[in-house]
Amino acid sequence: KKKRLEAGLEAFKQMKKLNIEPSQITFTKLLHGCAENEAFDIGKEVYKNFLKSKLPMTIVFFNSLLDLYCRCGKTNEAIEMYYKLNLMNLKPNNITFITLLNTFAKEKRFDKGIEFHKQILIYNDNKLPDDIILLNSIINVYCKCRHIDKAFNLFLEMKKINILPNHETYIIFFTSCSLKSLNIGSQVYHDLAESKLIWDIDLCNSLITMYSKFDEYQISF
């Protein structure tokens, strides 16, 4: 990753020497490389060059910038950036929300999970989005913050409107359930058993992990 970033930065320098104008894709890829390497200062320089280029801000570029801030521990600044989207005449997309939610899950920021769950509903006419990856991200925040009941309520809402859980949905629940939430874990397990989802090794391991916490080996096996 580091070598790819270095190669990209060198190519960018050569473009400038040859007076070749970088495009949106150029800056987006450079920011992505900076985010992967958590190279915040370099990313800021890339952003300064983007502003000098007078290229229009797009949601794709914005998401790359947001990802840089999130990966580098600048979560509060990332949230401030999100709330300035209207000033840029941009609307967030699912990637915007997933980027932020994944960070909230990592940092166990339940309050922000609630806040951005509401933001997602606002941008979807108060309806759940038909995107299981985005919904999994919300569920993951609640589970990581030990609010399994809230995650389960969202799970039930999904089922009501025929949004089907996938492997990741079940894995999140099974790896997060504690003694207090074993009942919820069991209900999610029964839902899985009745589904047509093909089990894989990760799913099986997560289920074994959940039940083995409580000496329920006979269920696991």
Side-chain angles (χ1 to χ4, degrees):
K1 292 179 182 179
K2 187 177 180 180
K3 287 183 178 180
R4 287 202 302 269
L5 175 59
E6 289 172 350
L9 291 169
E10 183 58 35
F12 180 68
K13 288 178 184 177
Q14 292 302 319
M15 287 174 66
K16 290 177 75 174
K17 285 181 182 178
L18 297 170
N19 292 318
I20 300 172
E21 294 295 327
S23 67
Q24 286 274 357
I25 294 173
T26 310
F27 286 113
T28 301
K29 286 188 175 296
L30 283 173
L31 272 186
H32 179 69
C34 292
E36 280 192 326
N37 288 275
E38 297 181 8
F40 184 70
D41 290 339
I42 297 173
K44 281 178 68 177
E45 288 302 314
V46 171
Y47 182 47
K48 285 179 185 177
N49 277 276
F50 171 80
L51 293 176
K52 289 177 184 176
S53 74
K54 305 295 183 183
L55 286 166
M57 176 69 77
T58 66
I59 194 60
V60 175
F61 179 81
F62 177 84
N63 286 342
S64 295
L65 186 62
L66 193 72
D67 188 40
L68 173 70
Y69 274 75
C70 286
R71 293 201 196 200
C72 295
K74 311 287 184 181
T75 310
N76 290 335
E77 292 94 327
I79 293 168
E80 288 175 11
M81 287 165 53
Y82 166 84
Y83 282 111
K84 291 177 182 176
L85 272 175
N86 283 338
L87 300 176
M88 305 177 203
N89 294 316
L90 294 174
K91 287 186 178 181
N93 62 15
N94 289 356
I95 299 298
T96 313
F97 289 120
I98 289 168
T99 300
L100 287 165
L101 288 166
N102 287 346
T103 302
F104 300 152
K106 182 180 177 182
E107 297 179 358
K108 296 181 172 58
R109 297 186 66 170
F110 176 66
D111 58 331
K112 291 302 173 184
I114 291 281
E115 180 181 334
F116 277 82
H117 186 173
K118 291 176 181 176
Q119 284 290 308
I120 290 165
L121 293 177
I122 287 170
Y123 278 98
N124 284 276
D125 300 320
N126 286 316
K127 298 175 183 176
L128 285 183
D130 187 14
D131 183 335
I132 191 59
I133 297 174
L134 177 54
L135 293 172
N136 283 345
S137 295
I138 303 172
I139 287 172
N140 193 38
V141 176
Y142 293 152
C143 285
K144 288 290 192 297
C145 296
R146 298 302 179 208
H147 288 270
I148 311 291
D149 54 337
K150 197 159 187 65
F152 187 57
N153 287 338
L154 179 55
F155 179 84
L156 294 177
E157 283 182 53
M158 288 166 45
K159 298 282 291 182
K160 280 182 183 177
I161 57 174
N162 296 318
I163 299 176
L164 297 179
N166 64 7
H167 288 81
E168 186 63 24
T169 316
Y170 293 111
I171 289 171
I172 291 168
F173 275 105
F174 296 152
T175 55
S176 302
C177 281
S178 63
L179 183 58
K180 290 181 179 178
S181 54
L182 179 57
N183 182 50
I184 289 176
S186 295
Q187 290 183 67
V188 173
Y189 164 68
H190 288 301
D191 185 90
L192 169 63
E194 293 175 0
S195 75
K196 295 181 180 179
L197 201 66
I198 298 173
W199 293 33
D200 63 14
I201 189 63
D202 291 331
L203 184 54
C204 292
N205 285 343
S206 66
L207 183 59
I208 290 169
T209 298
M210 180 182 74
Y211 279 120
S212 62
K213 290 177 187 176
F214 317 112
D215 295 326
E216 299 286 349
Y217 296 106
Q218 70 276 13
I219 300 176
S220 300
F221 295 97

